[in-house]
Amino acid sequence: MPNSLQNLRKEAGYRTAKDFAEAVDIPAPTYTRYEQEPAKIPIERAWIIADFLGCTIDAVVGRTPIKPSEMRGPVQRAYDALSDKNKGLLDDYLDYIQYKDGKEQARDRAQDQRRYEELVQQYSRQFYESMGSGEADFIDLVSLGDADALRARFLEFVETRLADERDREIADALDMAESVGRRNARDNGWEFEVAGERFLIRDTKPKEPLSIELACYKLSNMLSAQYEERDREVLEGITSAYDGMRRRRNAFAHGLGGSFDNNRG
């Protein structure tokens, strides 16, 4: 691909995918997957990346080549027109802003980490209870068997629970959508609002208007794709938190001269 997302990211000054992912507030594993398969980037994320890079969505997903020189927007052109002295002043101010922004991002990442660790604790209790135990101490889970096998079972359990919760969420949304959906003559389709977000299902054959049932079916597919992407990110966050908690637990155990995992984690 003449101008891959990776090349665009590097041209924008981001050496690593992780740095860019943090800048656009996308989980690093998810963004890395986007660079590998840019054509599969969800439209909402493609807009975010394109706006940040100052290019088109087509360029982000690899449909059209773009010259780096064409990415210089009005802000960059205004900067180029400044004197060297004023460029220096602006550079100093940008350094301060980046420092401040870095602290805010670190705080946000810490909040996300705490949220995912709370989810690990929440799902671990459900996991433990599903195996017939009344105990809910996450650290004791490793005593049930091989740590890696236990990890796989736990993450499989979480993925199943997320899917169940997603199905219920979509079913509730569709129940509401069918009663509040309305025809939108201007945009030629059905308009729905789900959790404050507007969805428009267009008629593909104007001479054969969509029924509310078919519109809801198409809405269901849209919600499924959107919520599956969201849940993949949640699972990635939970996986990262689980592994981080296990590393800290093992480090603590080794500090005491042993390992709760019997050196299997």
Side-chain angles (χ1 to χ4, degrees), residues 55-125:
C55 65
T56 65
I57 284 185
D58 281 347
V60 169
V61 301
R63 290 186 60 191
T64 57
I66 182 172
K67 297 178 181 178
S69 60
E70 295 174 351
M71 296 172 58
R72 304 176 79 82
V75 174
Q76 182 64 52
R77 290 195 295 270
Y79 176 84
D80 292 342
L82 293 174
S83 66
D84 290 342
K85 177 181 178 181
N86 286 330
K87 282 181 181 177
L89 292 174
L90 183 55
D91 289 341
D92 289 342
Y93 183 67
L94 287 175
D95 286 342
Y96 167 72
I97 293 296
Q98 289 174 342
Y99 166 76
K100 184 178 179 181
D101 189 59
K103 293 186 66 175
E104 291 175 352
Q105 290 183 21
R107 180 198 61 203
D108 291 342
R109 287 195 297 272
Q111 290 177 345
D112 286 342
Q113 181 68 17
R114 285 193 295 272
R115 180 170 70 89
Y116 285 125
E117 288 181 357
E118 289 171 359
L119 285 173
V120 169
Q121 297 286 9
Q122 171 188 321
Y123 282 117
S124 68
R125 286 192 291 270

Side-chain angles (χ1 to χ4, degrees), residues 30 33-34 42 159 162-163 166-167 169-170 220-236:
T30 300
R33 188 168 66 247
Y34 291 167
E159 190 170 10
L162 288 172
R166 180 172 67 247
D167 289 343
E169 188 176 358
I170 291 174
S220 173
N221 291 337
M222 292 176 65
L223 292 176
S224 294
Q226 181 172 311
Y227 291 174
E228 283 175 8
E229 175 68 17
R230 177 201 64 190
D231 288 347
R232 277 196 296 269
E233 293 178 7
V234 170
L235 185 61
E236 288 170 357

Side-chain angles (χ1 to χ4, degrees), residues 183-191 200-207 209-210:
R183 289 290 299 181
N184 187 322
R186 183 190 65 187
D187 293 322
N188 192 33
W190 284 91
E191 185 177 334
L200 178 65
I201 311 297
R202 294 182 182 275
D203 292 342
T204 55
K205 297 180 180 179
K207 293 183 179 180
L210 285 177

Side-chain angles (χ1 to χ4, degrees), residues 3-257:
N3 282 277
S4 65
L5 177 55
Q6 182 184 77
N7 289 339
L8 293 173
R9 181 249 300 167
K10 290 182 177 179
E11 288 291 345
Y14 291 88
R15 187 175 59 85
T16 68
K18 181 175 181 295
D19 289 342
F20 185 75
E22 291 177 356
V24 293
D25 195 26
I26 295 175
T30 300
Y31 176 76
T32 299
R33 188 168 66 247
Y34 291 167
E35 287 200 350
Q36 295 168 351
E37 299 180 288
K40 295 184 179 181
I41 301 176
I43 187 66
E44 297 85 357
R45 289 284 173 76
W47 275 121
I48 292 172
I49 295 171
D51 287 346
F52 192 91
L53 293 174
C55 65
T56 65
I57 284 185
D58 281 347
V60 169
V61 301
R63 290 186 60 191
T64 57
I66 182 172
K67 297 178 181 178
S69 60
E70 295 174 351
M71 296 172 58
R72 304 176 79 82
V75 174
Q76 182 64 52
R77 290 195 295 270
Y79 176 84
D80 292 342
L82 293 174
S83 66
D84 290 342
K85 177 181 178 181
N86 286 330
K87 282 181 181 177
L89 292 174
L90 183 55
D91 289 341
D92 289 342
Y93 183 67
L94 287 175
D95 286 342
Y96 167 72
I97 293 296
Q98 289 174 342
Y99 166 76
K100 184 178 179 181
D101 189 59
K103 293 186 66 175
E104 291 175 352
Q105 290 183 21
R107 180 198 61 203
D108 291 342
R109 287 195 297 272
Q111 290 177 345
D112 286 342
Q113 181 68 17
R114 285 193 295 272
R115 180 170 70 89
Y116 285 125
E117 288 181 357
E118 289 171 359
L119 285 173
V120 169
Q121 297 286 9
Q122 171 188 321
Y123 282 117
S124 68
R125 286 192 291 270
Q126 297 174 15
F127 177 56
Y128 217 119
E129 291 165 0
S130 74
M131 292 187 293
S133 172
E135 297 293 330
D137 185 355
F138 172 68
I139 295 179
D140 285 345
L141 283 173
V142 293
S143 67
L144 299 178
D146 180 83
D148 290 334
L150 180 64
R151 175 184 184 275
R153 288 181 60 192
F154 172 71
L155 294 177
E156 181 181 0
F157 172 84
V158 172
E159 190 170 10
T160 300
R161 283 300 177 95
L162 288 172
D164 291 343
E165 293 165 8
R166 180 172 67 247
D167 289 343
R168 286 193 295 272
E169 188 176 358
I170 291 174
D172 291 343
L174 291 177
D175 287 343
M176 178 65 68
E178 190 164 358
S179 62
V180 301
R182 65 186 183 87
R183 289 290 299 181
N184 187 322
R186 183 190 65 187
D187 293 322
N188 192 33
W190 284 91
E191 185 177 334
F192 301 95
E193 186 170 322
V194 178
E197 186 173 356
R198 177 178 175 270
F199 292 86
L200 178 65
I201 311 297
R202 294 182 182 275
D203 292 342
T204 55
K205 297 180 180 179
K207 293 183 179 180
E208 301 177 18
L210 285 177
S211 65
I212 182 65
E213 292 79 15
L214 184 53
C216 283
Y217 171 75
K218 292 191 173 187
L219 174 63
S220 173
N221 291 337
M222 292 176 65
L223 292 176
S224 294
Q226 181 172 311
Y227 291 174
E228 283 175 8
E229 175 68 17
R230 177 201 64 190
D231 288 347
R232 277 196 296 269
E233 293 178 7
V234 170
L235 185 61
E236 288 170 357
I238 288 175
T239 301
S240 177
Y242 181 102
D243 291 340
M245 293 167 72
R246 191 170 77 168
R247 284 193 298 271
R248 292 198 300 271
R249 181 179 66 249
N250 285 341
F252 176 75
H254 285 303
L256 295 178

